[in-house]
Every structure is written in C-alpha cells, then in structure tokens.
Amino acid sequence: MSKPDDTGPDHLADYGLLLRRRWRIVAAGLLLGAVVGFVTMRVVPPTYEATTNVLVLPTGVPGTTGNVAGGRTQDAINLDTEAQLVTSASVSNPAGELMHSRETGADLAERVEITVPPNSAVLSITYSDNTPAKAARGARAFAKSYLTNRKATAERQADQRAESLDRQRGRLQKKLKRLNEDIATLPEGTERDLAGAEKRSLTSQISDLGEKLTPLQDPSVDPGRVITDAAPPTEPSQPVPILFLVSGAALGLLAGLFLAVLRDKNDHRIRDARDVTSLLDLPVLADIELPEGTSVWTNLLPSKSGAAQEIRQLQHVITGGAGARRTVLVTSASIGPATQLLAANLTASLARSGKQVIHVCADFGSEAGTRMLGLRNAPGLAEVLLESRPVDTVTQVAPGNARIHLLAPGLRTGDAGDLPNDRLSMLVGLLANRYDHVVIEAPTTTVTADAQAWAQHSDVAVLAVQRLHTLREDALDAVNQMELVGCEVLGLVVLPRHKKNDDHSVPPERYPHSSTHPVAAPPSQHRAQRRAAQPPTQPQQPAVDEPEQQPVMRDAGRSG
C-alpha cells in the first residue's frame, strides 16, 4: 500500500496537467503582472535623452599626443582617456555652471553616458533628464565644457613645454658665451680647434631649441568641434512601455506558476485516475465521465452511454474473475451520491446480463439508491436486523426488471444501532444462496464503521472516489479499513464531483450512530471514531423484550 504523495509534480507531463488544473491562477498572475507593469510605467517619471557628437582632433601642440604606452588605441588621440575626461570634475563642474544647475558636478556626471562609434574619432555625449529641454541643454553643456577644458589643457601644456625649452636654451647660451670668451684667449692649435667644434655644437643645439620654441610661444590649439548638436527629444527613453509590460507579465507569470504549484501541493483531493494509481497499489476499474444534461445523480445511467459501458466493464470484472465474487460491497471515501450511483447502476448492469441480483441498501442515511431503482423506502433492512420482519416480506422487486430485487433501508433505521455481526453474517449468507449476486450499498467510510462491518461478510469491495472531492487520506484509510477485516478491494471507480443540488444524501448527523461531520475534524479523528464505533466481534444477544427470530423465515433456493 502506498502513502499519500505530497511531493507535487515530478515529470514534465505532470506540470502540463498542473497547468490545466490551475490555469486560472496562472492566468490571474499573468494578468496581474501586466497590470502592475502598466501602473509602474505610468508612475515612473519619464526620462529624456539628448546626444551631442563631438569630433576630437589633435590639439596641434608638439609633444602632446594624448596617448599612452600600451593603450587600447594607438592613434594620435586615445579616445578611452578622452571619454573618462568628459565625466571628470574638471568638465562636470564647469558644465553645471553653464547649465545654471544647483546639483554637484558628480551628480550631473552620473547622468552622462559616453560612447565611441567604431573606427571613428567621435565622442557621443548623451545626457538624461526629466524634460527634453534639460536633456538637450545638459548634452550641449558637457560638450562645450569638454572642448573648453581640452583647449585649456593643451595651451597649458604648450606653455609648460615652452618654459622648459626656454630654460634649456638659456643654459646653452650661457655656456656658449663662456666658451667664446675662452676661445678668444686660446692660441692657435689643437685646443683652439676643439673649442671651436664645441662652439659649433652648442650653436646647433640652440638653433634647434629655437625652432621648437617658436610654435609653442603662440600655439594654435584646435581641440575639436561639435558635429551634431543636441536637439530636444520628442519621446522619452524611459519608461519603455513594451519593456515594462513584458517584464510585469513575466514576473506575474512566475508568481502565478509558483502559487499554482503551491496550491496544487497543498490540495489533498484526488484529481484524476493518475492520482489513484500513484497513491494506491490498486487498479482503476472505471474512470467515469457522466453525460451532460441528464439527472444522472438521481436516475440510472442510459444503457448506451459511455458511463454505462464503464459500469458494464466493471460488471464483467466481477462476473468473469477467478473465484467467487457474488457478494460485492460498494462504498465511497467521501460524503456524496457516488456510492448510490455506482451501486444502483452496477445492480442494473448485473441484471441486464441475466443475473438474479439483490440490492441491499445498507446506507441508512440515504434513500437515493432505492429511488434510482424505481422503488420507494419501506420496511426493509432495519426491520430485518431488528428481527421484527422476515426478509421475505420486505424484499421488493424493481418495476420493469424482475431480476432486480431490493432490500430498502427500512423505516426503523434510527433504532438499528450498531450492526450485530451474527445477524449480518446470517443475512448475507442466506441472500448469497438465494441470488446470483448481492450488491451491498454501504455508507461512506468517513462517517461510520458500517462499511467495515459489512466488509467482513463480503467477497470483494469496490471503492468509489470523486474527482476534486475525495481526499487522498480518506481514500487510503477506506482501503485500509477493508483490508483490516480481510475483504479484498477489487479496485476503485473514479467519478466526477457532484454539484450541491445533486447530493440527495442525508447529512451525517442523521446517521443512527454517527454524530460527527467528517469535514469538521481531521482524518485521524475520524479513524479513531470509526474504531470506537466498530461492531463487536462477538454476536450480540437480542433484546429481552423482543422475541428471538431469524432474519429470514426459510432458506429458499435461488429464484429464477
């Protein structure tokens, strides 16, 4: 026997079934996520972006290429370095002054994004703000501040280099002056010739320094120029409607899937035949879908319907199996009309196959089975068990089919009390000798222990469960009840969930010896109540004020 499976879906096919069962939760999550995305899109303030493209040119100052050794670019200008300079304090602070902004340069720089198009000497300066005008003004300000800073930096570098060259030339000129004085005092000869050669070298160096110094004294610096000025954008760059809607829908879908899995895992109801086979080591004898538009919970199924054919297959299992399967107990693991529907239709199917069948309405809380077979409640099983009427006098014959015999619940069900084991054994034995099959319609196992009492005297039991109604724990407990008294559970029949107005059974508190509604207490409490209500193993003695008599007056042979 398996145990309840609370692990949830394990295979891909299980997730497909989960989506079919919980599609409303998933769809609600998807819709809610899309709505949240839409609301967020409307709440988030718009952001506008404007871009200024700046062509960066060499400054024209000798010795200042702007590149570094080992840099990513090997051109005259290192655009990676220039891109970093755009967001530096030396550029962002003057840009803030141009914009007349009260924000710090660091805050303004956070709104700037620099990109370098491939194979170009262009910097794309993009500035974002909450209005189109501010975005365009910011992009222009940063571009202007960058070019101004680049020009000032180049001029400063030119001045510094000019000063350095001028100092070098001054030192050489002083050295040349002293050398000239020395040459004037030297006589003709080798020493004078060497001094003349040194003089020529110093003169050449001074001339070279002068050539380098001339362009630095009045430099013509060209830092670059704006090739595309920023224009106020016509649409915001953020929020992007499709992005917010898709993101919200995706998050809602994930949340819906999570809630669907969680809801499915915490749902202990039997959902389909797959749940039965995974829960119990028992076959599904029939998976019934009831026809639409008919009162199937109060009348017999149409003989040509698919549901009736499922019952017919069950009938073949009972009549064609090995061993004696003449006494069949039908019960269910949940409150509802499932037992009456299955038992009455099984009785009708057995009768249509030519068998003499007696239908025992052992569920004192419902008369639905009696009505389905076209009969009414009258003195019956309760009177037989109380030994006030012999079974011959209370057995009814169904109209239209003489092979169907019925033992109604009776009129004194409130006096029946606990079922006496000896009388049940004698009654079932006599009925089994008289008829081909005995179908016992027992009450649900979640309310009373009567089904277990009848199971002791039955050959096989058939358990009815309802989709999205029967709890897995109750189905497992029902099978255990049958097996504990040695009754073979032939299998389970899966039925759909009934509507409230289709349940014509009597509430649990109307049962003679059951006062607890199964929904109001946990399964463990029901099991304790059923063990307490289990009939004694020793036969009860009849009441002293009633004459002792047998359930039947005579042991007649089978009819028909």
Side-chain angles (χ1 to χ4, degrees):
M1 181 78 53
S2 303
K3 295 182 179 180
D5 181 13
D6 291 333
T7 58
D10 295 326
H11 305 289
L12 187 60
D14 294 333
Y15 283 100
L17 293 174
L18 184 147
L19 289 177
R20 290 180 58 186
R21 290 191 299 266
R22 308 295 179 189
W23 68 268
R24 291 181 178 85
I25 297 179
V26 177
L30 179 64
L31 180 61
L32 181 61
V35 171
V36 171
F38 177 78
V39 172
T40 304
M41 178 188 67
R42 303 297 295 180
V43 171
V44 171
T47 300
Y48 295 88
E49 292 183 351
T51 302
T52 297
N53 292 323
V54 177
L55 177 62
V56 183
L57 299 175
T59 59
V61 178
T64 58
T65 63
N67 213 330
V68 294
R72 185 173 66 89
T73 60
Q74 298 300 324
D75 298 328
I77 304 171
N78 190 327
L79 292 181
D80 290 340
T81 302
E82 300 301 319
Q84 296 297 320
L85 290 174
V86 175
T87 56
S88 64
S90 59
V91 174
S92 59
N93 289 334
E97 295 177 0
L98 292 174
M99 297 167 59
H100 306 288
S101 175
R102 297 182 179 179
E103 297 185 58
T104 63
D107 293 337
L108 295 174
E110 291 181 356
R111 301 180 182 178
V112 178
E113 182 181 357
I114 309 299
T115 57
V116 180
N119 303 319
S120 71
V122 175
L123 290 180
S124 296
I125 303 174
T126 302
Y127 185 82
S128 58
D129 212 319
N130 57 2
T131 65
K134 290 182 179 180
R137 185 166 60 248
R140 297 188 195 118
F142 267 86
K144 183 177 181 179
S145 178
Y146 163 71
L147 291 176
T148 302
N149 176 264
R150 178 173 169 78
K151 181 177 180 179
T153 301
E155 291 175 346
R156 185 170 58 253
Q157 290 175 346
D159 292 342
Q160 293 173 353
R161 183 164 178 76
E163 290 177 3
S164 176
L165 293 176
D166 189 56
R167 284 194 298 268
Q168 293 181 35
R169 187 176 65 171
R171 287 193 299 268
L172 291 177
Q173 287 175 343
K174 290 179 181 180
K175 187 175 181 180
L176 179 60
K177 182 179 180 180
R178 288 193 301 268
L179 184 59
N180 286 330
E181 293 175 352
D182 292 341
I183 291 175
T185 61
L186 291 175
E188 294 291 339
T190 303
E191 187 174 358
R192 186 182 179 91
D193 293 339
L194 292 175
E198 183 179 359
K199 176 182 177 180
R200 289 190 296 272
S201 175
L202 289 174
T203 303
S204 176
Q205 293 179 37
I206 291 172
S207 177
D208 291 340
L209 289 175
E211 292 178 359
K212 294 179 180 179
L213 185 60
T214 299
L216 294 176
Q217 290 176 339
D218 188 16
S220 177
V221 178
D222 186 5
R225 64 179 182 273
V226 174
I227 58 176
T228 304
D229 204 359
T234 58
E235 295 182 356
S237 59
Q238 294 290 341
V240 180
I242 187 64
L243 179 62
F244 272 75
L245 291 177
V246 171
S247 300
L251 293 176
L253 178 62
L254 291 176
L257 289 173
F258 174 77
L259 292 177
V261 172
L262 186 64
R263 177 69 179 87
D264 210 68
K265 186 176 181 179
N266 293 329
D267 187 1
H268 290 205
R269 297 176 299 175
I270 290 177
R271 296 178 288 256
D272 49 35
R274 289 165 53 95
D275 281 359
V276 174
T277 55
S278 63
L279 175 68
L280 306 167
D281 296 329
L282 292 171
V284 175
L285 301 174
D287 188 1
I288 296 177
E289 292 290 345
L290 298 180
E292 298 288 342
T294 57
S295 301
V296 293
W297 294 105
T298 55
N299 299 290
L300 292 177
L301 295 169
S303 59
K304 299 299 182 181
S305 65
Q309 295 305 312
E310 293 277 353
I311 300 292
R312 186 180 178 188
Q313 293 179 14
L314 171 60
Q315 170 242 310
H316 290 325
V317 173
I318 293 173
T319 58
R325 293 177 176 174
R326 295 171 56 191
T327 305
V328 182
L329 173 72
V330 179
T331 185
S332 65
S334 56
I335 296 176
T339 302
Q340 291 74 29
L341 174 71
L342 179 58
N345 282 279
L346 177 59
T347 297
S349 181
L350 288 168
R352 283 195 291 266
S353 69
K355 304 295 184 180
Q356 292 288 337
V357 189
I358 184 168
H359 185 104
V360 180
C361 296
D363 186 355
F364 290 158
S366 174
E367 301 174 6
T370 303
R371 293 194 297 269
M372 282 186 185
L373 295 173
L375 298 170
R376 59 180 179 82
N377 191 23
L381 179 61
E383 284 73 16
V384 172
L385 294 178
L386 292 171
E387 298 184 314
S388 63
R389 297 283 295 270
V391 70
D392 288 340
T393 62
V394 294
T395 301
Q396 304 181 58
V397 178
N401 195 333
R403 295 187 180 90
I404 298 179
H405 304 264
L406 181 127
L407 195 57
L411 303 179
R412 299 179 59 187
T413 56
D415 300 332
D418 291 339
L419 302 180
N421 194 49
D422 57 338
R423 298 175 192 171
L424 291 182
S425 177
M426 184 178 299
L427 175 61
V428 172
L430 292 176
L431 294 178
N433 288 332
R434 176 172 297 183
Y435 300 97
D436 294 324
H437 290 282
V438 180
V439 177
I440 302 174
E441 174 197 318
T444 175
T445 57
T446 61
V447 173
T448 174
D450 287 359
Q452 194 176 29
W454 284 100
Q456 299 179 65
H457 313 290
S458 303
D459 298 326
V460 292
V462 176
L463 180 64
V465 296
Q466 290 182 260
R467 289 185 289 270
L468 300 177
H469 180 64
T470 304
L471 298 180
R472 287 177 283 179
E473 294 86 349
D474 289 340
L476 182 64
D477 183 60
V479 174
N480 287 334
Q481 288 187 51
M482 301 299 104
E483 293 180 347
L484 286 175
V485 295
C487 180
E488 176 193 358
V489 180
L490 194 60
L492 288 87
V493 174
V494 181
L495 294 162
R497 179 173 61 177
H498 64 278
K499 298 179 181 179
K500 291 184 178 181
N501 55 359
D502 290 328
D503 188 359
H504 301 281
S505 58
V506 179
E509 58 269 17
R510 292 276 302 278
Y511 282 91
H513 40 281
S514 176
S515 58
T516 303
H517 197 285
V519 178
S524 58
Q525 183 174 340
H526 295 319
R527 288 191 285 270
Q529 292 170 350
R530 284 192 288 268
R531 285 195 293 269
Q534 185 173 338
T537 55
Q538 298 298 328
Q540 286 186 341
Q541 297 299 325
V544 276
D545 58 345
E546 295 181 2
E548 184 175 356
Q549 56 181 199
Q550 299 298 329
V552 294
M553 300 300 297
R554 55 187 176 83
D555 183 10
R558 291 186 205 163
S559 61

